Amino acid sequence: MCGIVGYIGDKQAAPFLLDGMSKLEYRGYDSAGIAVLEEDGHICVDKCVGHLDALRKKLEGNMPKGTAGIGHTRWATHGRPSDRNAHPHTNTSGKFVVVHNGIIENYLTLKEELMGKGYTFVSETDTEVVAQLMADLYDGSFESTVKKVLKRIKGSYSLVFMCEYDSDKLICTKKDNPLIIGLGEDENFIASDIPAIISCTRRTYVMSDGEIGTVCRDKVWVEDIDGTPITKKVFEVKWNAEAVEKGGFEHFMLKEIYEQPKSIRDTMTGRMDAEEKKINFPELKWTAEEIAGINKIFIVACGTAYHAGIVGKYYLEQLAHIPVEVDIASEFRYRAPLVDGSSLTIVISQSGETSDTMAALREARRLGSRTLAVTNVVGSSIARDADQVLYTYAGPEIAVASTKAYTTQILAMLMLAIYAGRLRGTMDRDREIVLAEGLLEIPEQVHQMLENVDQIKIFARRYGSSEDVFFIGRSLDYAVALEGALKLKEISYIHAEAYAAGELKHGTLALIVEGVPVIVLATQEDVYDKTVSNMQEVKAREAVVIAIGFEGDASLAKYADHVIYIPSTGKYLAPLLAVLPLQLLSYYAALTRGCDVDKPRNLAKSVTVE
Ligand code: F6R
């Protein structure tokens, strides 16, 4: 995830910026840069691809001198990691400088408009458009130009602006991305996250969406876009430095679970027209004919991404009517799959670097298949190798156990299936509208669920000492059950198995005895009665049944020992919500058992060996 820092005061800016950016390194980044307003009144920008050390080396003996500046660590979203795509970005004359976290949704339209007026662009980023727009709209006042720019851009962002014409201030604002102002003595700070400034001050203003902060050496004021002053309360940071990195959460895994409302929103950004209730993928260059020409899809991935692929199979088959096979990458690459020019191979990978998935992608290409990568890391090996890429925009995932990557992968697959269904004529408009309406509610529903986790903590304490746990479900519930079982085993080391509920009686039912926890997912209306019958089968063997179903479903409580209710939604959207209690259950069970949640034994975040 990108990181932002800003400084204005009585000391040299560059050392602070570099130090603040180093405190944001844990978030992951691929390039870094700073802009300093030098003593001669000019803004000097230094940036490069790679880690901060590369930037430090570049600045050795040549540190820009000035007491105001902005810095950025970039985690690529638009345009691969490169020197040119690194922030800060400037307009052509270099008078306006900006750093940005998030996505400017309408950047292509704005870019075309500006190019029509003769502006030229040096990067592939959405951010450069903001700097050029500042120049285009400049009316003699830095503040009023920023407001004009904000009226033109759409999307999610935290932004910090600096301008040569008005050198005694930095201006910052945000929408759907974090931003804080740090308050000092004769100096003030801006950051996307508290770790960047905690060594300098603990007194902060936490900015809300739509607020515009003007930060000078000796004063700070906040107002809305109409110039109405906003009185901010000072928030005193009480966490220690380590807790600060995790945003106050005990572990990265928990932080990432709680980031899901935002990551889900980010995956939809630029692809979901909330007014039209229509899904588009501007980045995919497929014509209706090309999509119609796909006879079969192969989805290939490992681990959690493989489980997202299984969910994707249901979506693509049912909504776009394309037959789908899902393969574990290490199997696909050696099983001589019957892939050819009429196939599309979709590889799913959070890191974009998993060696088996990479090899499977190459094998599919060798066999003549078209390829699409669904990945989180811009510019990753898999993203570079595939014909087309669909980024999930979950932000960096640091905990080994994948959580927000999974929900954004299944969301991307659902949106892809809806989009392909429309192009293939299998998805009628009314159905798309219903699905889009449901999707738009998901971030808030996830948020609400994450506010009420006491029941899950109790279950984790009560059943955390179990030796075996079973997960059952049918249809999409089965796909989610697979992910629930993987989460539990990898971080709590409890033996966990997921079964298609109808398959249990073909062998595994022998293991269901008194007191064994069985988690039953029951969100799929088409197979609901069948699932309830399977629930009764395990209950008859005196298992402890924990059911997961929709709010308002009174019948589950008749057969289950406990019910975890999730907000009622459509069957295709249910996986996005049903997996949350499973992630949380694994997390709290691991805590109960004293496991190292973020770094489970024997596992690595990115598996780059076969
Ligand atoms: C489980 C987990 C792994 C990964 C798998 C694939 O929580 O994180 O199972 O899903 O190693 O990794 P990516 O998605 O990076 O290819």
Side-chain angles (χ1 to χ4, degrees):
M1 199 131 56
C2 304
I4 283 179
V5 290
Y7 177 85
I8 184 158
D10 54 4
K11 303 193 183 86
Q12 285 299 310
F16 164 78
L17 297 174
L18 291 170
D19 184 59
M21 286 153 75
S22 74
K23 302 285 166 41
L24 299 177
E25 279 189 307
Y26 70 95
R27 296 151 61 98
Y29 66 104
D30 49 55
S31 42
I34 59 172
V36 174
L37 220 142
E38 292 205 290
E39 282 147 10
D40 65 2
H42 287 100
I43 294 173
C44 165
V45 177
D46 292 284
K47 54 187 186 172
C48 61
V49 72
H51 278 195
L52 266 178
D53 281 346
L55 180 64
R56 282 205 187 94
K57 212 164 188 173
K58 194 172 173 191
L59 295 173
E60 240 167 45
N62 199 19
M63 196 72 105
K65 297 215 166 13
T67 56
I70 54 182
H72 190 266
T73 48
R74 174 172 190 250
W75 202 73
T77 58
H78 290 66
R80 70 202 159 82
S82 70
D83 288 358
R84 284 180 173 206
N85 288 336
H87 296 217
H89 286 282
T90 68
N91 71 310
T92 308
S93 70
K95 304 280 184 207
F96 299 97
V97 189
V98 63
V99 287
H100 165 222
N101 290 358
I103 298 167
I104 305 296
E105 229 173 88
N106 58 337
Y107 86 103
L108 276 178
T109 321
L110 293 170
K111 192 168 179 174
E112 271 165 29
E113 181 187 316
L114 290 163
M115 284 168 81
K117 291 181 179 177
Y119 288 86
T120 52
F121 288 80
V122 294
S123 80
E124 303 156 86
T125 64
D126 48 345
T127 309
E128 192 184 357
V129 169
V130 180
Q132 296 285 26
L133 200 57
M134 279 294 290
D136 189 56
L137 298 175
Y138 186 60
D139 59 7
S141 153
F142 183 19
E143 285 100 325
S144 110
T145 309
V146 167
K147 287 175 188 161
K148 285 184 177 163
V149 167
L150 297 181
K151 285 184 183 155
R152 295 293 318 276
I153 59 174
K154 284 190 196 154
S156 68
Y157 46 79
S158 26
L159 286 161
V160 187
F161 299 89
M162 195 161 71
C163 158
E164 269 187 23
Y165 301 127
D166 201 348
S167 56
D168 65 353
K169 57 178 71 98
L170 306 176
I171 300 183
C172 61
T173 187
K174 68 156 279 214
K175 182 172 171 279
D176 297 334
N177 275 265
L179 191 74
I180 53 168
I181 297 176
L183 308 167
E185 290 291 322
D186 289 324
E187 56 183 357
N188 289 302
F189 314 87
I190 299 173
S192 53
D193 221 345
I194 296 166
I197 58 167
I198 190 130
S199 60
C200 302
T201 181
R202 287 179 170 265
R203 299 177 67 241
T204 63
Y205 286 159
V206 178
M207 299 291 279
S208 296
D209 282 358
E211 292 179 347
I212 301 168
T214 305
V215 181
C216 304
R217 200 158 277 119
D218 51 357
K219 56 180 181 285
V220 171
W221 67 94
V222 178
E223 58 189 24
D224 69 12
I225 199 153
D226 301 318
T228 312
I230 295 169
T231 311
K232 297 290 292 178
K233 263 206 200 133
V234 174
F235 172 72
E236 191 97 28
V237 181
K238 300 229 158 66
W239 308 321
N240 63 30
E242 199 200 323
V244 161
E245 274 196 0
K246 294 177 184 143
F249 289 97
E250 207 177 325
H251 294 98
F252 282 113
M253 180 181 177
L254 192 62
K255 175 172 181 269
E256 287 158 10
I257 288 174
Y258 275 79
E259 278 170 354
Q260 288 176 108
K262 172 167 159 44
S263 56
I264 287 172
R265 224 175 256 128
D266 286 349
T267 306
M268 286 197 257
T269 298
R271 294 148 173 180
M272 165 71 81
D273 185 328
E275 274 159 36
E276 288 278 310
K277 313 274 185 313
K278 199 167 183 183
I279 288 154
N280 272 309
F281 283 95
E283 65 269 56
L284 295 185
K285 291 157 203 84
W286 274 332
T287 61
E289 292 74 49
E290 276 168 317
I291 293 221
I294 297 170
N295 290 339
K296 190 159 190 180
I297 293 180
F298 291 81
I299 301 180
V300 188
C302 303
T304 289
Y306 167 71
H307 295 154
I310 297 176
V311 176
K313 171 186 166 78
Y314 285 92
Y315 293 155
L316 284 161
E317 290 195 335
Q318 295 185 18
L319 301 175
H321 295 190
I322 312 174
V324 179
E325 277 187 41
V326 192
D327 271 79
I328 292 169
S330 54
E331 290 295 313
F332 179 88
R333 57 187 291 198
Y334 297 120
R335 79 163 170 90
L338 297 178
V339 173
D340 60 26
S342 66
S343 328
L344 169 69
T345 303
I346 303 179
V347 290
I348 308 179
S349 173
Q350 186 285 128
S351 61
E353 301 295 345
T354 301
S355 130
D356 281 319
T357 311
M358 184 73 205
L361 168 66
R362 291 194 175 139
E363 178 63 2
R365 287 187 66 158
R366 192 185 67 79
L367 295 168
S369 173
R370 283 166 275 183
T371 55
L372 168 69
V374 176
T375 182
N376 192 30
V377 180
V378 175
S380 56
S381 307
I382 285 174
R384 288 199 308 269
D385 251 42
D387 299 334
Q388 305 218 42
V389 189
L390 201 158
Y391 289 113
T392 50
Y393 299 132
E397 204 178 51
I398 291 164
V400 165
S402 187
T403 52
K404 62 177 182 169
Y406 173 78
T407 40
T408 55
Q409 284 161 354
I410 60 177
L411 171 60
M413 293 307 287
L414 175 55
M415 290 169 63
L416 183 69
I418 297 170
Y419 173 68
R422 192 176 67 241
L423 293 186
R424 287 170 68 88
T426 56
M427 160 73 52
D428 65 51
R429 188 70 194 112
D430 291 348
R431 199 171 188 204
E432 180 172 2
I433 291 173
V434 171
L435 285 165
E437 281 171 347
L439 278 175
L440 288 163
E441 283 178 25
I442 294 285
E444 185 51 31
Q445 287 170 328
V446 171
H447 174 76
Q448 293 300 333
M449 286 174 73
L450 295 174
E451 295 287 290
N452 295 299
V453 298
D454 290 349
Q455 184 197 22
I456 293 171
K457 287 185 188 168
I458 293 168
F459 293 161
R461 272 200 296 272
R462 197 177 294 170
Y463 302 110
S465 55
S466 305
E467 288 304 312
D468 309 285
V469 174
F470 291 86
F471 292 74
I472 61 169
R474 285 169 178 261
S475 179
L476 281 163
D477 282 335
Y478 166 52
V480 176
L482 288 165
E483 176 57 9
L486 177 62
K487 281 292 86 87
L488 191 64
K489 55 189 145 190
E490 74 178 318
I491 58 163
S492 75
Y493 317 144
I494 296 174
H495 169 240
E497 296 292 338
Y499 277 89
E503 181 66 7
L504 212 55
K505 60 170 99 51
H506 298 285
T508 311
L509 200 56
L511 294 175
I512 307 294
V513 291
E514 186 182 347
V516 171
V518 179
I519 297 175
V520 184
L521 288 103
T523 69
Q524 296 297 302
E525 60 201 22
D526 313 346
V527 286
Y528 180 83
D529 293 341
K530 308 265 175 219
T531 307
V532 169
S533 302
N534 299 130
M535 189 157 50
Q536 285 170 283
E537 272 164 24
V538 294
K539 193 65 216 142
R541 270 91 191 160
E542 297 186 54
V544 178
V545 174
I546 302 173
I548 297 179
F550 289 139
E551 278 158 6
D553 177 352
S555 54
L556 283 180
K558 286 190 224 146
Y559 311 107
D561 295 280
H562 315 284
V563 185
I564 299 173
Y565 289 107
I566 64 171
S568 183
T569 186
K571 64 176 180 177
Y572 294 117
L573 281 57
L576 289 161
L577 302 181
V579 75
L580 296 178
L582 307 185
Q583 295 172 343
L584 289 160
L585 207 55
S586 314
Y587 173 77
Y588 287 111
L591 277 195
T592 305
R593 295 166 73 97
C595 302
D596 184 348
V597 174
D598 282 337
K599 291 199 185 77
R601 69 184 177 211
N602 305 338
L603 300 178
K605 182 66 187 158
S606 191
V607 185
T608 51
V609 289
E610 188 175 355

